[in-house]
Amino acid sequence: MAGAKNILVINGPNLNLLGARQAEFYGTDTLEAINARLEKRAKDAGAQLASFQSNAEAELIERIQQARRDGVDYIIINPAAYTHTSVAIRDALAAVGIPFVEVHLSNIFSREPFRRESYFSDLAVGVLSGLGARGYELALDFALGSRGKE
């Protein structure tokens, strides 16, 4: 199967604080460092990659809707705290119909009980949780080599 050529990475609230926020859960990488590695990896594979982060639910929804108009063929998303609360972001992802991988830096299943529920996992092609920043790279590798649900 042909791989994705136009990939969007979406990061939810507080991920702009990576590197300075609860390293025991989220590691020491900054979001800028993660994005730079992903951009290089995508470029080396002949793909385009754009990154977007917002603390605002409405902005995340707008960017997901824009993704279809932009011809994005794969999304990597870390909804952060919206994982457990946002029907609106879920509906946006369902509406655009772009395959996506859900990524979490920490293992959401080993944390507080409310973090174990995701509004996205059943729609996602796959879920990576607890692998730190490496989860983004694995999601990108998957997107580069595959399209859609397998």
Side-chain angles (χ1 to χ4, degrees), residues 11 32 71 76 81-82 102-104 107-108 115 122 127 144:
N11 284 285
E32 293 79 16
I76 297 167
Y82 288 131
E102 178 182 352
V103 175
H104 300 284
N107 181 352
I108 62 173
R115 292 189 194 275
D122 64 316
V127 178
L144 291 169

Side-chain angles (χ1 to χ4, degrees), residues 41-124:
R41 201 176 193 113
K43 184 179 177 184
D44 289 349
Q48 256 187 317
L49 185 135
S51 301
F52 180 79
Q53 187 278 327
S54 179
N55 295 319
E57 185 178 38
E59 290 179 7
L60 295 166
I61 292 165
E62 291 292 335
R63 187 61 188 98
I64 290 165
Q65 291 176 0
Q66 181 66 41
R68 183 165 57 185
R69 294 187 294 273
D70 291 345
V72 168
D73 54 10
Y74 222 94
I75 294 173
I76 297 167
I77 185 168
N78 182 343
Y82 288 131
T83 301
H84 326 289
T85 64
S86 185
V87 173
I89 293 174
R90 174 196 169 85
D91 287 351
L93 287 164
V96 298
I98 300 169
F100 70 93
V101 172
E102 178 182 352
V103 175
H104 300 284
L105 294 159
S106 68
N107 181 352
I108 62 173
F109 302 102
S110 69
R111 298 193 54 198
E112 304 92 339
F114 72 87
R115 292 189 194 275
R116 297 178 191 149
E117 178 69 28
S118 169
Y119 281 42
F120 306 95
S121 297
D122 64 316
L123 298 177

